[in-house]
Amino acid sequence: MWRVYCFPLCPFSRKIRLLMSEKGIGYEIWRTDPWDAGEEFWDMNPAGRTPVVRDAVKDITLADSRAIAEYFEETVDKAPMINGTAKNRAEIRRLVALFDENFYHDVTMPLLHERMKKRLILRQPPDSRMLRDAMKMAHGHLDYIDYLVDTRPWLGGPQMSLADLAAAAQISVADYLGGIDWRDHAEAHSWYTTVKSRPSFGPLLSERMEVIQPPRHYALLDE
Amino acid sequence: MWRVYCFPLCPFSRKIRLLMSEKGIGYEIWRTDPWDAGEEFWDMNPAGRTPVVRDAVKDITLADSRAIAEYFEETVDKAPMINGTAKNRAEIRRLVALFDENFYHDVTMPLLHERMKKRLILRQPPDSRMLRDAMKMAHGHLDYIDYLVDTRPWLGGPQMSLADLAAAAQISVADYLGGIDWRDHAEAHSWYTTVKSRPSFGPLLSERMEVIQPPRHYALLDE
């Protein structure tokens, strides 16, 4: 049984948990806050980031969410998520990077800082200008998702792929933190509702980060 | 013929150029400064980052340096750089991410900001405290390279891999900008000298970014 070291609002861990569920790979959660993690965690991942996944029986420890995703893609045939020709696969990986890096940097990271870290660690009120900026950036990213789903069935091409999981993972954390406004994004919203309705998404939507409550619509499958 | 859109001190483009040279893939350079790029570049890569590679004859455009690396790995058999068992491959990818993200964030990015952007774009003097901090962080990363090459022939395992190219690409840019001090890092230095001496490295070492000059030892193969 794999153990996933993560905290409820880590978007990269959500991506990996979605991937594992889609592929039918069992796992247990091992709650790990990177800002408060001990030596054991840093030994497993000198980058200091979640998720780390470990199979103690096979003595395999993996770090970096993209490396983990490629590992499961290479070792588990079920539900291929980096699929198609080399060109298609490059497009899926480009989009994963876009959401892992740009969406995270522009939207998820500032929201996590203002609404989670300031509340739980720094004991400061959020900066409303930073929140507004993050929500504005979110609109730009949702515009791009509107454009993608207007031209393809799924973000990365004809099939659901790691690109959808990466995007939905980031959006779900931003949505939990009140940073997503779906107005004027009907295409993106319709795509997200489809992904959110998958059984793999259920466990994420029912989890709560202590003290911080999501908006009412967060876990509803028809909103 | 592939065209690589990049600027001389882009560490991610250096990683891809090293990979292409090792694999014997011909390319031409198309100078692109992301901070001053036009619509054509942003259309090719909405993430706004170099490198982008394009083969006009095949009409293939690829963006994101890790997606590009995986593409060439999948399509060109020569000189495999993400090699071995799934576990080995995960370790190579973990290290690539460590250098692409942590080393870049801690060392290369602040050096590029202080020594290149402030000089060429912002017309400001560098902040000496930021430079000191970046060099201090570089020591931590070189310590980790010392540890790796103490336990393995190459950073990612028994063979040269994308991990070596990713690390050397970041270090070469940091070195160009005067941010690398090899004292107390004999193992890392010996590894870097080996990588730097490869024919694939030659073109990078002879390039110059306008106005900014590297230290004397930068392009010397025995230092």
Side-chain angles (χ1 to χ4, degrees), chain A residues 4-222:
Chain A
V4 180
Y5 296 76
C6 64
F7 63 99
L9 293 179
C10 170
F12 308 104
S13 308
R14 286 184 170 222
K15 176 182 67 181
I16 293 305
R17 292 173 62 191
L18 289 172
L19 179 68
M20 294 176 84
S21 295
E22 291 288 340
K23 286 185 169 292
I25 305 167
Y27 66 84
E28 59 167 10
I29 293 289
W30 196 261
R31 172 66 183 263
T32 307
D33 297 339
W35 57 89
D36 193 28
E39 212 169 306
E40 187 207 1
F41 178 71
W42 283 88
D43 281 350
M44 287 193 300
N45 185 15
R49 270 190 292 276
T50 46
V52 168
V53 301
R54 175 161 170 75
D55 183 327
V57 177
K58 291 188 192 150
D59 192 24
I60 296 182
T61 304
L62 307 173
D64 178 65
S65 72
R66 272 180 264 174
I68 296 169
E70 297 280 350
Y71 177 87
F72 287 132
E73 189 69 7
E74 289 178 0
T75 55
V76 179
D77 289 338
K78 188 185 166 190
M81 289 283 164
I82 310 174
N83 211 9
T85 64
K87 190 177 164 179
N88 295 149
R89 292 158 63 86
E91 174 65 356
I92 291 166
R93 291 186 179 110
R94 174 186 78 80
L95 289 169
V96 170
L98 186 72
F99 292 105
D100 279 3
E101 295 175 21
N102 293 54
F103 191 105
Y104 176 70
H105 180 270
D106 296 341
V107 183
T108 323
M109 188 174 70
L111 287 170
L112 282 169
H113 186 76
E114 296 301 326
R115 291 222 198 261
M116 185 190 73
K117 291 208 178 150
K118 283 195 172 174
R119 179 95 187 247
L120 294 182
I121 309 162
L122 305 169
R123 313 277 170 186
Q124 292 169 3
D127 179 330
S128 55
R129 200 173 58 86
M130 297 293 283
L131 290 173
R132 265 199 313 276
D133 287 351
M135 290 185 74
K136 213 160 120 186
M137 297 298 272
H139 275 297
H141 285 284
L142 294 177
D143 280 342
Y144 190 61
I145 293 176
D146 287 336
Y147 157 78
L148 288 175
V149 294
D150 211 34
T151 55
R152 315 163 165 181
W154 297 88
L155 300 193
Q159 294 181 319
M160 190 172 77
S161 75
L162 192 62
D164 299 284
L165 306 186
Q170 295 290 335
I171 289 173
S172 72
V173 174
D175 194 30
Y176 188 112
L177 297 169
I180 298 293
D181 177 356
W182 291 111
R183 268 175 302 178
D184 302 325
H185 300 291
E187 292 93 340
H189 188 219
S190 161
W191 159 84
Y192 182 62
T193 306
T194 306
V195 180
K196 188 180 170 180
S197 304
R198 295 186 72 85
S200 60
F201 230 91
L204 305 184
L205 294 176
S206 63
E207 275 179 23
R208 294 292 173 269
M209 186 86 189
E210 55 277 11
V211 188
I212 306 159
Q213 289 305 317
R216 198 192 61 89
H217 71 264
Y218 166 73
L220 298 178
L221 295 185
D222 52 354

Side-chain angles (χ1 to χ4, degrees), chain B residues 72-139:
Chain B
F72 287 132
E73 189 69 8
E74 290 178 0
T75 55
V76 180
D77 289 338
K78 189 184 166 191
M81 288 284 164
I82 309 174
N83 212 8
T85 64
K87 190 176 165 179
N88 294 149
R89 292 159 63 86
E91 174 66 356
I92 291 166
R93 292 187 178 109
R94 175 185 77 81
L95 290 168
V96 171
L98 186 73
F99 291 104
D100 279 4
E101 296 177 20
N102 293 54
F103 191 104
Y104 176 70
H105 180 270
D106 296 341
V107 183
T108 322
M109 188 174 70
L111 287 170
L112 282 168
H113 185 78
E114 297 302 325
R115 291 224 198 260
M116 184 189 74
K117 291 209 177 151
K118 283 195 173 174
R119 179 97 186 245
L120 293 182
I121 309 163
L122 304 169
R123 313 278 171 188
Q124 292 170 3
D127 179 331
S128 57
R129 200 173 58 87
M130 296 293 283
L131 291 173
R132 266 202 311 277
D133 286 351
M135 290 185 74
K136 212 160 121 185
M137 296 300 273
H139 275 297

